Each structure stands twice: as structure tokens, then as C-alpha cells.
Amino acid sequence: TLPEAAMLAALTRAPSRYSPDANLKLAQERAALVINLMLQEGHITEEEAKKAKAKPAMPVIKPELESANYFADFVMDQLKALDITPNKDLIVRTTIDIKLQGTAQKTLAKVLDKDGARRNVSQGAMIAIEPTGAIRSLVGGKDYTQSSFNRAYQSKRQPGSSFKPFVFLAALEAGLTPDDVREDAPYENRGWSPENYDGQYLGPITLREALAKSINTVAVRIADEVGRRKVIAVAQRLGISSPLEPNRSLPLGTSEVTLFEMTRAFAAFANNGSRVEPFAIVEVKTSDGTVLYQHRARPAITVMNQTALEEMNQMMYEVVQTGTGQRADMSPRHVAAKTGTSQEWRDAWFVGYTADFV
């Protein structure tokens, strides 16, 4: 419509300042100025100008689609990584599932509205990828119009106990089994002692139960046993690229990582033990049809043996059945997962997977 065209034209001088999202009244005033200039130049009649100013343009943003801007920003970054400069019209086909994106956004906002104030939490993020790596939804915050910072892949946070699967996978690779027993009791390493979050100790406990109940003392014991550098090697093999410090608290998730990295690393468990390369771009071509890029899956790289994979899947399934992740149980549908909270409950994590999504 004429009022919409005028508002779009008015944006060009200072898009952030004259955006109807930032200041609707100012955007409408600028659009009215454009309409007056169009009238002066003879492009429209007085009657058209009068009607356009009487009914100024209003932005219509579907709440479930607004979050797709987080995905779009991510795609722009990926284009740069592919060395494609968007200096001309491009058609970029992506992996986004708009319906799923809307569901993710609404779910995140609903949880924050319900529990945010009580838990002193104002933000969150969520990613859903297929085990093969196709990113179907990526939500970087509660409301893109309020904050465009993408917490899904730009924010580094302590993963807490959601890091423990890497510790237990390293233990299985070193020859331990889920039914091996370790002591849940006070443990000291050169003056440093880990504590369980409830301050209680359960005594002799299997590794399976220790992961399900997220027992800190056992995680630290087995990391010391197999070697913290081996734990780091496992995490990096699965897809963690942020620097990991081999300090005594490493098994408790004190080295900062992104949600993107954690989702990618857990995807190896859902992808039959093969490393996953997440992707958002399927194809890029110019408006005349010249193909600049097409996604092609790389050959599978196995990052864990089949026995360890099956045991880890079973152990993380137990987390949802009897452990800290029971609220995520979708029986009879299988879910495997790990929860985590960072020090002083600053961050809360859930990384899990079904046959369809990580």
C-alpha cells in the first residue's frame, strides 16, 4: 500500500532510528513527510495523500515468526564462513522449519514468563537439530525485538553437569562399565573437595546411577582416574571447540562453552556414534539461477565405538527415567539427556535427544 511504501522509503536514511519497531510514531511521521514529497513531485493526488496519512502503516509481526530473525542472523554468519558476500540478490534455501521455530519461541517465552521472575532468570536459548546436522530451529533469546544477541551460539556459559557425559564416555573407553561401583563420599584432591548439590552422600554407587543422579564426587573421581586430558579429548572429538581447562573442576562443567557446541556434541550420541556438522544452508544461488553453493554431507567420522555408544545411550536414558531429567520423560517415546546447573544456579541446561531431534 502507499502508506507502507512511504514508511519503507523513510527507513533508508537511518534504518535503526526510523524503524517502526524502535519508534512507531517517528516512523509514521517520516512516512507522512515522504507522502508530502510525493504529492509535491506529482506522483500522487491530494486525495491519495490525504487517505494515506489518515491511515498510516502499522508493522505486523507474527510472534512465532519474529524469532526467525535469530535464525536469519545465524545464516548471514554462515554465508560469511562460506566466503559468500551478500552484495547482490541471493536466494538462500535453509533448513529452518517455521512451524517448529514458532513452537520453540513460544515455549521458551512461556517458561520464562511462568518461572523467570521466581528464579531470577530473564533469558534463555534453544536449538533443535536433526541427528544428521540439519538445524530446524534456533532461538537466541526471549524476544528478538528486545535483544538480538544470539545466546544459542554467541554466548559462552558454564555447562555444569551437562558436561558429565564426556567424563563417563572417557571412563567407558578406559575400560570401565556402567555397572562398576565407585564411592559417593567426601573426596579431596590437593585441598579441593567437590560437593553434591544436596550435600548428601550415597556411599557405593554404580556409574549408571551416578550419572542419572548427577553425583559430583563420582564424576570427579573417575575423571582423576582416567585423566582429565582424556576427558577433554573426548569432548573435542565430539564437537566442543571452546578451550577446556584441565583443572580439578573440569568434570563439573566449569569451562565455558556455547549451546551450539553442546548440541552438536550430543548429536554424536543420536547419530550412531558419528560426529555431526550442523548446517543451516542447503543451497545458495543468484537471482538468475547460478548456483554458488550446495550442501553436501561429509563422509561419516566415527567418534566412539559401538559398545560405548550403546552404554552411553542407556545411561542417558536412565537420567530421564529415574534421575535429574524426569520432567522430560515422554514414554513410550525414548528420550536420553543430561541436565546441568552452573555454580550458584546462574545457568540451567538441558541437552537431550529423541530419534528425531537433539
Side-chain angles (χ1 to χ4, degrees):
T1 66
L2 177 57
E4 289 171 342
M7 186 173 281
L8 288 171
L11 274 171
T12 56
R13 174 164 288 189
S16 57
R17 187 178 171 211
Y18 296 129
S19 163
D21 273 348
N23 188 329
L24 180 58
K25 187 170 183 289
L26 184 61
Q28 290 175 337
E29 286 171 0
R30 289 285 303 177
L33 182 65
V34 171
I35 289 165
N36 289 337
L37 290 168
M38 290 174 77
L39 177 61
Q40 284 175 29
E41 295 291 327
H43 296 301
I44 56 174
T45 65
E46 279 198 28
E47 184 62 24
E48 286 173 321
K50 187 177 175 184
K51 280 183 180 175
K53 286 192 283 186
K55 284 194 171 179
M58 298 279 288
V60 179
I61 299 174
K62 294 179 180 176
E64 67 270 19
L65 298 188
E66 167 262 311
S67 75
N69 287 303
Y70 286 119
F71 194 97
D73 288 348
F74 178 75
V75 167
M76 292 300 285
D77 285 347
Q78 297 305 298
L79 283 175
K80 287 177 196 166
L82 294 171
D83 205 24
I84 297 173
T85 307
N87 56 1
K88 55 191 164 195
D89 286 352
L90 298 175
I91 299 164
V92 182
R93 195 155 59 87
T94 76
T95 56
I96 191 171
D97 179 327
I98 284 292
K99 187 178 177 186
L100 198 66
Q101 180 75 15
T103 300
Q105 177 72 51
K106 284 188 281 190
T107 303
L108 180 64
K110 184 179 173 184
V111 169
L112 289 169
D113 288 342
K114 179 172 174 278
D115 293 332
R118 181 167 59 88
R119 296 183 180 274
N120 196 28
V121 172
S122 59
Q123 279 293 357
M126 184 174 173
I127 300 176
I129 73 173
E130 291 181 353
T132 54
I135 303 170
R136 294 305 184 195
S137 73
L138 184 150
V139 181
K142 183 183 178 184
D143 185 341
Y144 185 88
T145 61
Q146 299 297 316
S147 170
S148 61
F149 179 63
N150 203 323
R151 294 156 191 83
Y153 78 104
Q154 291 176 314
S155 179
K156 287 195 173 187
R157 316 290 284 202
Q158 291 183 339
S161 291
S162 63
F163 187 83
K164 285 177 183 170
F166 309 131
V167 178
F168 283 79
L169 177 55
L172 296 179
E173 290 180 347
L176 278 69
T177 74
D179 295 317
D180 280 345
V181 173
R182 291 296 181 271
E183 194 77 19
D184 175 24
Y187 176 72
E188 188 176 308
N189 182 331
R190 288 178 291 144
W192 178 77
S193 299
E195 288 185 357
N196 294 328
Y197 82 98
D198 61 359
Q200 305 294 311
Y201 300 100
L202 300 175
I205 188 172
T206 64
L207 299 194
R208 186 192 312 279
E209 198 178 350
L211 183 64
K213 291 186 163 57
S214 205
I215 303 298
N216 289 341
T217 58
V218 174
V220 172
R221 278 180 196 273
I222 63 173
D224 287 351
E225 200 175 313
V226 304
R228 291 190 289 274
R229 292 196 182 277
K230 285 189 178 172
V231 173
I232 290 173
V234 165
Q236 291 173 336
R237 200 195 315 146
L238 268 63
I240 300 294
S241 54
S242 292
L244 299 173
E245 297 297 328
N247 50 36
R248 287 165 289 179
S249 60
L250 168 80
L252 306 184
T254 52
S255 287
E256 294 183 336
V257 295
T258 66
L259 177 60
F260 181 82
E261 288 175 279
M262 289 293 284
T263 310
R264 175 192 184 188
F266 269 64
F269 296 115
N271 192 37
N272 203 32
S274 293
R275 184 182 170 102
V276 173
E277 301 293 342
F279 65 98
I281 297 174
V282 177
E283 183 183 69
V284 183
K285 58 185 179 182
T286 58
S287 52
D288 66 4
T290 304
V291 176
L292 302 180
Y293 169 81
Q294 273 187 327
H295 173 77
R296 284 185 172 80
R298 298 178 188 175
I301 299 172
T302 302
V303 289
M304 67 190 89
N305 68 57
Q306 202 63 30
T307 302
L309 169 67
E310 289 169 7
E311 289 174 340
M312 285 302 302
N313 280 335
Q314 183 58 42
M315 288 167 77
M316 284 195 277
Y317 172 69
E318 203 60 44
V319 170
V320 176
Q321 292 303 301
T322 63
T324 58
Q326 290 181 57
R327 285 170 63 192
D329 181 24
M330 295 198 296
S331 293
R333 192 161 180 72
H334 283 198
V335 180
K338 187 68 190 79
T339 60
T341 51
S342 65
Q343 290 174 323
E344 296 170 354
W345 300 82
R346 187 171 174 223
D347 300 292
W349 291 69
F350 175 90
V351 193
Y353 50 97
T354 63
D356 300 306
F357 292 112
V358 187

